Amino acid sequence: MNRQNFKPGDRVVFRKPKRSTCPGPRATNVSPSRHGEDYTYFVEKYWIVVASADGKVIVRTRSGKQHVLDSSNGFVRHARLWDILIHRHRFPSKTDVGTVN
């Protein structure tokens, strides 16, 4: 897969795959399991890049949690202008980039 170039301060959107009996209002691509007990779906997460090196990207959530992602992961992408305008309240502030914990 293609590796994307991420820099600290970049806003990214991560499509997180989930499974539950009751998808939330932000769930997309909802599909039932074979017998209908639960559903699989995606939820878009809006994060900011803290650091990037060796094909890995460290991102921070609004609550301060950090995740390490592979830059070639198909579920992570740069935020488009539309994402930034419409969902700006879901991204961490750029002042939260700071240092890696």
Side-chain angles (χ1 to χ4, degrees):
M1 271 194 131
N2 292 337
R3 289 192 187 268
Q4 297 184 46
N5 294 324
F6 295 102
K7 300 180 300 271
D10 285 352
R11 292 180 174 124
V12 296
V13 178
F14 181 71
R15 291 190 57 193
K16 185 172 186 168
K18 295 190 136 204
R19 173 183 222 120
S20 77
T21 56
C22 183
R26 292 179 19 211
T28 59
N29 296 348
V30 179
S31 61
S33 65
R34 180 180 295 218
H35 299 289
E37 298 91 14
D38 56 6
Y39 299 90
T40 58
Y41 55 95
F42 290 95
V43 175
E44 289 189 338
K45 303 292 186 172
Y46 302 92
W47 296 338
I48 194 162
V49 175
V50 175
S52 176
D54 299 328
K56 300 290 182 190
V57 180
I58 301 172
V59 294
R60 181 168 291 145
T61 67
R62 280 189 310 166
S63 64
K65 294 179 186 175
Q66 290 187 357
H67 301 280
V68 179
L69 306 172
D70 189 354
S71 65
S72 64
N73 185 333
F75 294 130
V76 65
R77 64 173 171 82
H78 285 96
R80 298 179 185 108
L81 179 60
W82 185 255
D83 296 317
I84 295 168
L85 293 174
I86 300 299
H87 302 293
R88 64 184 163 270
H89 63 282
R90 292 190 183 167
F91 286 100
S93 68
K94 287 214 175 194
T95 58
D96 292 340
V97 173
T99 59
V100 178
N101 293 335

